[in-house]
């Protein structure tokens, strides 16, 4: 697929434009500017707006594939210790990039140990994480997948930007994880290019 590897894909990226705000705790919050919604192509591929189990949400995600997606997701921790979203996932879970919250540690992270690495640009894939305390056990993710670029905003408070270079051409799926957590809302859109 064109644009899936470092040879063909975007070579450099400064990230999405963001909007700053003051959060209720007085800290600075940030989120992508509203104008990024203009990149949505057509109607949402999926729209959940009532509490739904992880299992039911995953059954609805089965046919959604792509490496140009915008995902807005709100998860309630429930009894899960670690929960979140896999992007660029192969059907058998051989490859995936995992965006997660480790509730006992109070950390947001990205796990690229199964992201694949069809690139000579980055050899040291692994797990990166940093502090994020949840308010009322709720995690809201705003995730943008732009071919090899994955940009994530969490609770308008933290962000992660990373790259993944899957070997497999079918590493295009999405999957939620975290037994005991609940999907409060989730919308997935196909996106036009953010870097053209």
């Amino acid at each position: 697929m064109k644009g899936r590897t470092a040879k063909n894909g975007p070579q450099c990226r400064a990230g999405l434009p963001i909007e700053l705000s003051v959060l209720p705790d007085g800290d600075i919050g940030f989120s992508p500017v509203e104008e990024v919604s203009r990149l949505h192509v057509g109607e949402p591929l999926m729209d959940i707006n009532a509490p739904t189990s992880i299992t039911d949400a995953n059954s609805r995600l089965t046919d959604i594939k792509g490496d140009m997606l915008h995902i807005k997701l709100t998860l309630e921790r429930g009894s899960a210790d670690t929960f979140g979203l896999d992007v660029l996932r192969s059907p058998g879970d051989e490859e995936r990039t995992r965006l997660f919250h480790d509730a006992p540690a109070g950390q947001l992270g990205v796990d690229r140990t199964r992201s694949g690495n069809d690139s000579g640009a980055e050899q040291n894939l692994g797990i990166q994480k940093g502090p994020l305390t949840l308010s009322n056990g709720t995690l809201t993710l705003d995730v943008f997948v732009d071919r090899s670029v994955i940009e994530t905003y969490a609770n308008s408070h933290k962000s992660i930007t990373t790259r993944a270079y899957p070997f497999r051409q079918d590493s295009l799926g999405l999957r939620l994880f975290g037994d005991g957590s609940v999907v409060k809302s989730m919308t997935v859109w196909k996106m036009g290019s953010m870097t053209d």
Side-chain angles (χ1 to χ4, degrees):
M1 283 188 151
K2 185 177 178 185
R4 295 296 306 283
T5 68
K7 297 181 285 266
N8 298 332
Q11 298 300 307
C12 62
R13 187 160 192 288
L16 292 169
I18 60 170
E19 181 175 57
L20 300 176
S21 62
V22 178
L23 298 173
D25 65 2
D27 204 353
I28 297 293
F30 52 91
S31 56
V33 295
E34 186 178 321
E35 286 79 4
V36 295
S37 65
R38 294 181 188 159
L39 296 172
H40 295 168
V41 176
E43 294 298 313
L45 302 173
M46 184 178 86
D47 194 13
I48 294 173
N49 52 29
T52 303
S53 72
I54 295 289
T55 301
D56 288 348
N58 279 335
S59 69
R60 293 179 64 179
L61 284 171
T62 302
D63 294 327
I64 296 177
K65 310 274 186 255
D67 62 358
M68 294 289 292
L69 299 172
H70 177 199
I71 305 111
K72 285 191 84 131
L73 168 66
T74 299
L75 290 166
E76 191 170 275
R77 174 191 174 187
S79 61
D81 282 343
T82 303
F83 60 104
L85 173 69
D86 292 338
V87 299
L88 299 179
R89 180 184 184 274
S90 62
D93 200 33
E94 300 89 352
E95 289 186 331
R96 62 167 158 76
T97 298
R98 173 160 283 188
L99 306 166
F100 68 91
H101 189 268
D102 179 341
Q107 292 189 313
L108 173 73
V110 59
D111 179 347
R112 297 192 307 152
T113 56
R114 283 202 226 165
S115 292
N117 192 11
D118 189 17
S119 163
E122 254 183 289
Q123 298 301 323
N124 187 18
L125 302 180
I127 300 171
Q128 289 79 40
K129 52 190 174 179
L132 178 65
T133 302
L134 299 184
S135 175
N136 301 319
T138 299
L139 176 67
T140 297
L141 298 177
D142 208 352
V143 181
F144 298 86
V145 179
D146 184 1
R147 296 188 176 94
S148 65
V149 177
I150 302 160
E151 193 161 341
T152 304
Y153 297 85
N155 290 9
S156 298
H157 198 73
K158 300 287 183 180
S159 70
I160 295 174
T161 301
T162 192
R163 286 189 178 265
Y165 303 101
F167 288 105
R168 298 173 58 108
Q169 295 299 309
D170 60 355
S171 292
L172 297 169
L174 301 173
R175 188 165 182 85
L176 298 160
F177 63 93
D179 289 341
S181 62
V182 175
V183 178
K184 294 181 74 177
S185 65
M186 184 174 189
T187 308
V188 181
W189 294 270
K190 183 178 178 184
M191 298 286 283
S193 178
M194 293 170 257
T195 54
D196 288 345

